[in-house]
Amino acid sequence: MEPLTDLGFSLFSSPTTVVGVVVLLMILYLVSVGSSSSEAGKEPPGPKPLPLLGNLLQLDLQRPYKTLCQLSKKYGSIFTVYFGPKKVVVLSGYRTVKEALVSYADEFGEREITPILEDINKGHGIVFSNGETWKEMRRFALSTLRDFGMGKRVAEEKILEECGHLIQTIENYKGEPFNTSRPLNYATSNIISSIMYGSRFEYDDPRFRNLVSRTNETLRITGSAEIQLYNMFPRLVGWIKKRQVILKNVEMAKTDVKDLIKELKETLEPQTCRGLVDCFLIRKQKEEDSCRKDTQFTEENLIFSLTSLFSAGTDTTAATLQWGLLLMAKYPHIQDRVQEELARVIGSCKVRVEDRKNLPYTDAVIHEIQRLADIVPLNNPHRTSQDVTFQGYFIKKGTTVFPLLTSVLNDENEWESPHSFNPSHFLNKEGKFIKRDAFLPFSAGRRVCLGESLAKMELFLLFTSLMQRFRFTPPPGVTEDELDLTPAVGFTIPPSPHKLCAISRQCFSLRGRREPPGPRPVPLFGNLFQVDLRRLDQSLCNLSKKYGPVFQVFFGPKKVVVLAGYRTVKQALVNHADEFGNREITPVFYDFNKGNGILFSNGELWKEMRRFALTTLRDFGMGRKMSEEIIIEECHYLIAEFKQFEGKPFSNNKAINYAASNVISALMFGKRFDYSDMVFQAMVERDNESIHLTGSTSLLLYNLCPWLGPFLKNWRDLIKNVEDGKRDVRMIIKNLKETLDPGMCRCFVDAFLIRKKHLEDSELLNSHYHDDNLLYSVMNLFAAGTDTTATTLKWCLLYMAKFPDVQERVLEELSMVVGSRQVRTEDRKNLPYTDAVIHESQRLANIVPMALPHAIGKDVTFQGFFIKQGTSVVPLLTSVLYDDTEWENPHSFSPSHFLDSEGKFVRREAFMPFSAGRRACLGESLARMELFLFFTSLLQHFRFTPPPGVSEDQLDLTPVVGVTLAPTPQNLCAVCRH
């Protein structure tokens, strides 16, 4: 009460002042009593106010939320208090607060602009505005922040980047005690800054540090008793020192923000939006160009929107994290369980947002931190927009309303132990995470925090990343019991200033690391006697049933870690793409490419070649209308080829291979080849033979003992094929080079040659654009673009002959939806059964059962197992496509896997024939289009049947072993349907 005492001395220091105050008191009191008594309806109860002072003598102005909670026990969930002469209706308890903010959103949805908030924002911006300004600014902010990934993958990457900077900063303390406030504030500020301004700041940037410290100081002072008094008596105590500090901070912040806007304005490009500021400036210019007079896109709204977002995006998340780390140090047994769960599920891999569902205890701890921290106990004040009768009480339009969030988060009717730190509030009996209705730290209704999804993502990723790297403890000489959980005073309430130690968890012995289990290896031979090298995928699937989804086997002396099952494979390749994203270059793959090209390379070379291939192939229509026309043209040639056999038995292998090869050739070389072209035939047949040889037992042995190569016929044949293929591709490149016109890019090769010449002219050293990379990239794309699509299409036609009832339904659907016109890609959505059949053919065919081998990019602990950098990894795709926890009938041909009960097509997460993550097939969109158009075009023209004298049951579904699994060679009949 010291500020109130000081105010009393200053007010009553002269008789004249005393008389004036008494008169003023009487007038205000009479007005107050008169207005309230004239209202029609019962007002909420509350303690009797004194004239002018109201209920000030009953309130703790440092922590008014505590007094209000106590008053609610006496007066109920809706009551009235007077902050000086100002009447305030307080809403207390979960059910009352939610009903008001959600069910009566319009009536309770306005923002009360207190005098200090008016001083700070002048009615502009997002948080402290009303009417059209608030609606337009909030709508713009929400849509723009979503465009920049708020709560999505883009924002996730920004947060993970900031995690790295935060961890480095904390590591610099080397386990010594430090105040967690500053680095956490810098980290959270940078995340919102990168979204607003398009870039982050360095932690030692003076302007950035000042912006953050001024924001923290302003929020702290805004919640002080002196500012509370100013809000009650703005004309009497406007001179107080703390208000002057806030006004000075606001002006300095505006200056800094204006400078940042000016810098962005000078480099603004309307076609490239870097952040929220750019989007606002572009919209502002459009409104000015259209001469709109009532626009909300003004400089003032931009400045105050930015300061509001910066303040809200910094303080609340940072304060919650401070509480989180303090509570972990206070309750080490809970920290132990969090870190145990993280080690078991994630290991040392980078945590991703989608890991949350597999970390129920950690998720519960984060939610309980938010609940107990209770950082905005009073909520931002609301105001009634119209007269309202609520729960039997009349509340006049314009009345200030406090939705007491602390009474929600500590509601004894909703929480089992509201005043204790108890993560089990968010766990069921089985230890699974459960949502709680009364968890409202972001408020609710129209004024709910617009950055809620971003804040949740930040809290999860920053907290788990810090828990992975550090153990937080009290400083030396301080016990856990001595850590103070008293909150500081402010608009938000972080912990009282304190220090913690962050002990690195990376300093542990290698001897404590647990490797994946697996069968015991024999010296030199490893586990070779326990696996079938002809169908290695089946042997590994069988071993996974005994040793689990992560296990190791030895191929001779070489250790290989195998990943089995959808969830494990996806977690490794997608969630932990950096750790599992390298390619294992086996001896035979090195023989193919010498470390060049796209498929069998690593590092910057791979990144640059893959990036170039993706952008260039997209430019030439991969997966779009242009490639659709190329495929449809090739469909006509393939149909004509089939028609030559007049319904008699024939092998469709060559024709399908040629068709698939021609699609990729059109993109690579700018032309298709005639099926009778001898060079083209040789290229296709050599690739098919090489893929078959690479999967042979003898070449698997060669990978273990490379010195065996010259003695193995398969290896000699393979090397001859590679050299002959290089010769033919070099000749095609030479012909394209001789007719190259830099002004007209015909194909992938042209684009590479033009880029290569440009880099040579600029004398750029160490360029990846050289002849070997072009040669091997073209060979990689030609082989991959031919074999996988062609092989899948062969399986599709074989399944149609094998399962005529399925073929009948496809033909019926095609006739009903498409008729005799050419099928187009856009027809897919209207052909659910056909689409399901194609997907099921891909799933059951399982043509790349083991994916191409990966290698660990850095030491990693994954699902509790330590895997050393450089270890070979086999993601077992067959275990994904046949995972019996994901598929109802994994070993049967069942298109219903992709259909719902109404016959509509449904996507399945475990459908991963193109692999996943960084090494996912870069031609996936093209392959999907090819399969759909080739399959449907052929089914429009032909019915596929076994040869005469062969029944459907006698058709052989045994695959031919290779790197890919093709059907056993057999003839089919393509009977013309017209």
Side-chain angles (χ1 to χ4, degrees):
M1 295 298 291
E2 285 183 13
L4 195 59
T5 306
D6 294 342
L7 180 66
F9 281 127
S10 65
L11 286 175
F12 300 105
S13 57
S14 71
T16 305
T17 306
V18 172
V19 173
V21 167
V22 169
V23 172
L24 181 61
L25 285 173
M26 293 303 296
I27 293 170
L28 289 171
Y29 182 68
L30 290 171
V31 170
S32 171
V33 171
S35 63
S36 61
S37 62
S38 64
E39 302 293 359
K42 185 174 64 167
E43 290 193 340
K48 193 173 187 67
L50 293 174
L52 185 64
L53 297 179
N55 301 114
L56 272 185
L57 301 181
Q58 295 159 276
L59 296 173
D60 175 2
L61 291 185
Q62 299 277 20
R63 294 184 172 85
Y65 56 92
K66 288 195 170 182
T67 309
L68 297 177
C69 279
Q70 289 167 359
L71 289 172
S72 72
K73 293 176 182 177
K74 180 175 182 180
Y75 295 104
S77 60
I78 307 172
F79 61 96
T80 302
V81 291
Y82 283 81
F83 283 76
K86 188 158 190 75
K87 181 168 73 173
V88 175
V89 169
V90 181
L91 307 176
S92 177
Y94 162 64
R95 298 194 180 284
T96 297
V97 171
K98 186 175 181 187
E99 184 182 359
L101 300 187
V102 177
S103 305
Y104 290 78
D106 290 340
E107 293 86 343
F108 289 93
E110 285 204 351
R111 174 70 70 224
E112 169 67 13
I113 312 297
T114 62
I116 195 64
L117 297 178
E118 178 63 27
D119 291 342
I120 292 172
N121 292 274
K122 310 295 184 187
H124 297 295
I126 302 169
V127 180
F128 303 110
S129 58
N130 284 306
E132 284 306 311
T133 296
W134 170 72
K135 288 178 183 176
E136 187 65 30
M137 289 300 96
R138 185 178 173 93
R139 187 161 48 235
F140 170 79
L142 273 171
S143 62
T144 306
L145 292 174
R146 282 181 187 138
D147 289 343
F148 283 97
M150 183 176 73
K152 299 178 185 173
R153 189 76 176 185
V154 179
E156 182 179 23
E157 296 304 326
K158 291 180 187 293
I159 298 166
L160 289 173
E161 178 190 0
E162 203 56 47
C163 285
H165 295 288
L166 176 60
I167 287 167
Q168 184 59 56
T169 299
I170 293 176
E171 280 181 341
N172 291 339
Y173 291 104
K174 298 178 180 177
E176 295 296 316
F178 73 104
N179 188 328
T180 60
S181 173
R182 188 168 292 176
L184 290 174
N185 273 287
Y186 291 163
T188 55
S189 292
N190 257 335
I191 292 162
I192 192 64
S193 293
S194 66
I195 292 173
M196 293 194 307
Y197 303 119
S199 62
R200 64 179 300 278
F201 298 92
E202 293 301 325
Y203 288 0
D204 58 0
D205 183 317
R207 178 167 60 185
F208 176 62
R209 293 170 77 109
N210 287 332
L211 275 166
V212 175
S213 62
R214 282 196 299 264
T215 296
N216 292 150
E217 184 181 37
T218 299
L219 284 165
R220 177 174 55 81
I221 296 174
T222 302
S224 67
E226 291 89 334
I227 297 300
Q228 301 280 4
L229 288 171
Y230 167 66
N231 284 333
M232 299 174 209
F233 310 103
R235 294 184 180 178
L236 291 177
V237 293
W239 44 264
I240 60 172
K241 181 181 176 183
K242 288 190 175 179
R243 176 176 178 253
Q244 304 309 314
V245 172
I246 289 174
L247 295 180
K248 182 183 175 184
N249 284 346
V250 168
E251 288 306 312
M252 293 175 73
K254 283 166 62 179
T255 300
D256 285 339
V257 170
K258 282 178 181 176
D259 289 342
L260 288 166
I261 293 171
K262 182 172 176 285
E263 292 167 14
L264 289 168
K265 203 169 188 177
E266 289 169 353
T267 56
L268 181 66
E269 292 183 13
Q271 294 79 23
T272 309
C273 222
R274 297 163 294 186
L276 182 137
V277 174
D278 280 8
C279 293
F280 194 104
L281 292 172
I282 292 165
R283 178 73 174 271
K284 180 173 179 285
Q285 186 61 51
K286 285 181 180 177
E287 303 252 328
E288 289 171 357
D289 292 345
S290 63
C291 300
R292 184 179 168 186
K293 294 181 180 179
D294 60 344
T295 179
Q296 301 296 335
F297 290 87
T298 62
E299 185 177 12
E300 291 82 4
N301 265 335
L302 174 56
I303 291 168
F304 289 110
S305 293
L306 292 175
T307 54
S308 296
L309 288 171
F310 185 84
S311 174
T314 296
D315 187 78
T316 52
T317 308
T320 306
L321 283 168
Q322 287 177 62
W323 278 111
L325 301 186
L326 178 60
L327 289 165
M328 291 302 94
K330 180 84 171 174
Y331 303 108
H333 63 289
I334 292 177
Q335 185 173 192
D336 286 339
R337 284 193 63 182
V338 169
Q339 291 174 334
E340 184 277 326
E341 185 178 65
L342 285 167
R344 175 167 42 83
V345 177
I346 308 298
S348 61
C349 300
K350 199 177 286 183
V351 184
R352 293 281 182 176
V353 172
E354 58 187 35
D355 292 322
R356 186 195 290 266
K357 62 181 178 293
N358 300 317
L359 297 165
Y361 187 77
T362 303
D363 201 10
V365 167
I366 294 170
H367 279 70
E368 181 66 355
I369 289 166
Q370 288 182 270
R371 187 196 69 79
L372 194 68
D374 184 23
I375 62 166
V376 191
L378 275 176
N379 204 340
N380 285 321
H382 287 234
R383 185 174 68 200
T384 49
S385 62
Q386 61 195 64
D387 291 353
V388 59
T389 301
F390 179 68
Q391 291 192 2
Y393 296 112
F394 176 77
I395 307 172
K396 187 176 175 62
K397 175 182 178 180
T399 302
T400 303
V401 177
F402 285 174
L404 202 56
L405 284 191
T406 189
S407 71
V408 177
L409 297 174
N410 291 278
D411 191 329
E412 293 177 354
N413 295 318
E414 298 293 330
W415 306 97
E416 293 75 19
S417 48
H419 306 292
S420 303
F421 185 62
N422 181 7
S424 64
H425 282 138
F426 296 91
L427 296 167
N428 65 13
K429 292 178 181 177
E430 289 81 41
K432 294 179 180 177
F433 179 83
I434 51 172
K435 295 180 183 290
R436 297 292 292 265
D437 289 341
F439 181 71
L440 295 178
F442 300 100
S443 191
R446 291 172 64 195
R447 294 285 179 165
V448 68
C449 171
L450 64 80
E452 178 178 350
S453 59
L454 179 65
K456 285 180 169 179
M457 186 182 283
E458 284 184 69
L459 285 172
F460 177 73
L461 292 175
L462 289 167
F463 180 77
T464 52
S465 296
L466 291 174
M467 285 293 105
Q468 277 187 305
R469 296 298 292 267
F470 304 105
R471 179 164 192 82
F472 290 88
T473 67
V478 178
T479 66
E480 287 89 1
D481 291 340
E482 290 172 321
L483 287 175
D484 186 7
L485 297 186
T486 305
V489 174
F491 189 72
T492 57
I493 51 169
S496 298
H498 63 279
K499 291 185 176 181
L500 296 177
C501 297
I503 312 299
S504 175
R505 298 182 65 226
Q506 304 303 310
C507 306
F508 53 85
S509 168
L510 281 173
R511 285 176 295 179
R513 294 173 170 174
R514 186 164 60 114
E515 291 194 343
R520 183 184 291 274
V522 174
L524 187 62
F525 293 101
N527 302 113
L528 284 180
F529 300 123
Q530 296 160 279
V531 296
D532 178 358
L533 292 180
R534 291 168 300 177
R535 285 306 306 271
L536 193 53
D537 61 304
Q538 292 185 348
S539 295
L540 296 179
C541 277
N542 291 333
L543 288 172
S544 74
K545 293 173 184 176
K546 180 176 182 180
Y547 296 104
V550 183
F551 64 97
Q552 62 185 25
V553 291
F554 284 81
F555 293 103
K558 188 171 184 64
K559 180 169 70 176
V560 174
V561 169
V562 181
L563 307 175
Y566 162 65
R567 298 197 179 280
T568 296
V569 171
K570 186 181 179 188
Q571 185 184 2
L573 301 189
V574 177
N575 300 5
H576 308 296
D578 291 340
E579 293 85 350
F580 288 87
N582 276 8
R583 173 69 70 221
E584 168 72 7
I585 313 296
T586 62
V588 75
F589 289 155
Y590 186 80
D591 293 340
F592 278 169
N593 296 271
K594 311 298 182 190
N596 295 301
I598 301 171
L599 292 183
F600 305 108
S601 57
N602 284 307
E604 285 305 313
L605 187 154
W606 169 73
K607 289 179 184 176
E608 184 60 30
M609 289 299 97
R610 183 178 173 91
R611 188 160 47 233
F612 173 78
L614 274 170
T615 55
T616 305
L617 291 175
R618 282 180 188 143
D619 289 344
F620 284 100
M622 183 176 74
R624 299 180 189 169
K625 192 73 174 177
M626 192 186 307
S627 54
E628 182 179 29
E629 297 304 325
I630 291 170
I631 299 165
I632 287 172
E633 179 190 7
E634 200 58 44
C635 284
H636 299 325
Y637 288 103
L638 182 59
I639 289 164
E641 189 73 14
F642 278 25
K643 280 184 177 178
Q644 291 180 15
F645 294 96
E646 299 177 340
K648 296 174 183 175
F650 74 106
S651 171
N652 56 38
N653 280 1
K654 288 186 178 181
I656 290 176
N657 286 334
Y658 296 161
S661 291
N662 260 336
V663 174
I664 192 66
S665 294
L667 297 173
M668 301 294 297
F669 309 127
K671 66 168 188 176
R672 67 176 299 279
F673 296 90
D674 192 86
Y675 291 179
S676 61
D677 184 307
M678 301 295 288
V679 173
F680 176 61
Q681 287 186 357
M683 287 173 63
V684 174
E685 314 240 344
R686 277 196 302 266
D687 275 346
N688 286 334
E689 185 183 26
S690 296
I691 286 168
H692 171 65
L693 291 173
T694 304
S696 65
T697 302
S698 58
L699 285 188
L700 290 175
L701 292 172
Y702 165 68
N703 283 332
L704 306 179
C705 307
W707 55 269
L708 284 173
F711 304 100
L712 301 172
K713 181 180 183 299
N714 281 357
W715 181 82
R716 296 194 299 272
D717 291 344
L718 182 66
I719 296 304
K720 182 178 185 303
N721 283 347
V722 170
E723 292 303 316
D724 290 346
K726 285 160 65 175
R727 181 198 65 223
D728 289 342
V729 172
R730 282 194 182 109
M731 184 59 66
I732 295 172
I733 293 172
K734 180 174 178 290
N735 293 337
L736 288 167
K737 202 170 188 177
E738 290 171 353
T739 56
L740 181 66
D741 179 358
M744 187 179 69
C745 195
R746 299 163 293 185
C747 58
F748 177 91
V749 172
D750 277 9
F752 193 104
L753 292 172
I754 292 167
R755 182 74 173 272
K756 177 174 176 283
K757 183 71 167 63
H758 172 72
L759 293 172
E760 288 171 352
D761 291 345
S762 61
E763 298 181 350
L764 184 69
L765 301 176
N766 299 322
S767 168
H768 298 303
Y769 292 86
H770 51 74
D771 290 341
D772 282 345
N773 258 337
L774 173 57
L775 174 67
Y776 290 112
S777 293
V778 168
M779 292 178 70
N780 289 165
L781 291 170
F782 184 85
T786 296
D787 185 77
T788 52
T789 306
T791 299
T792 307
L793 188 57
K794 294 170 198 172
W795 278 110
C796 286
L797 301 185
L798 179 58
Y799 289 141
M800 292 304 93
K802 180 81 171 176
F803 306 109
D805 55 319
V806 174
Q807 184 174 196
E808 283 300 327
R809 285 191 62 181
V810 171
L811 297 177
E812 179 187 350
E813 186 176 64
L814 283 168
S815 297
M816 182 173 57
V817 175
V818 182
S820 59
R821 68 168 171 81
Q822 174 62 54
V823 182
R824 292 280 177 178
T825 305
E826 61 190 21
D827 292 319
R828 184 194 291 264
K829 63 181 180 292
N830 299 317
L831 297 166
Y833 187 77
T834 303
D835 201 9
V837 167
I838 295 170
H839 278 72
E840 180 66 358
S841 298
Q842 286 181 271
R843 186 196 68 80
L844 195 66
N846 180 33
I847 66 165
V848 189
M850 294 202 303
L852 292 173
H854 290 233
I856 296 296
K858 55 185 174 183
D859 289 357
V860 62
T861 302
F862 179 70
Q863 293 191 2
F865 299 113
F866 175 73
I867 309 173
K868 189 174 177 58
Q869 180 180 2
T871 302
S872 298
V873 175
V874 172
L876 203 55
L877 289 190
T878 191
S879 71
V880 177
L881 297 174
Y882 287 20
D883 189 331
D884 56 16
T885 65
E886 296 291 330
W887 306 97
E888 295 74 20
N889 304 295
H891 303 287
S892 302
F893 185 71
S894 176
S896 62
H897 283 138
F898 296 91
L899 296 168
D900 65 14
S901 58
E902 297 170 357
K904 294 178 181 176
F905 180 82
V906 289
R907 296 183 184 278
R908 298 291 292 264
E909 288 186 357
F911 181 71
M912 284 172 44
F914 299 100
S915 192
R918 291 172 63 191
R919 295 285 179 164
C921 171
L922 62 81
E924 178 176 348
S925 61
L926 179 66
R928 292 164 82 99
M929 183 182 283
E930 284 185 75
L931 284 172
F932 177 74
L933 291 174
F934 277 132
F935 179 76
T936 52
S937 297
L938 289 172
L939 268 287
Q940 276 187 306
H941 286 80
F942 306 103
R943 181 188 303 279
F944 292 89
T945 66
V950 177
S951 69
E952 287 87 3
D953 291 341
Q954 290 173 313
L955 287 175
D956 188 4
L957 297 185
T958 305
V960 175
V961 177
V963 172
T964 58
L965 299 180
T968 298
Q970 53 200 306
N971 292 341
L972 293 178
C973 297
V975 180
C976 188
R977 295 182 59 219
H978 306 292

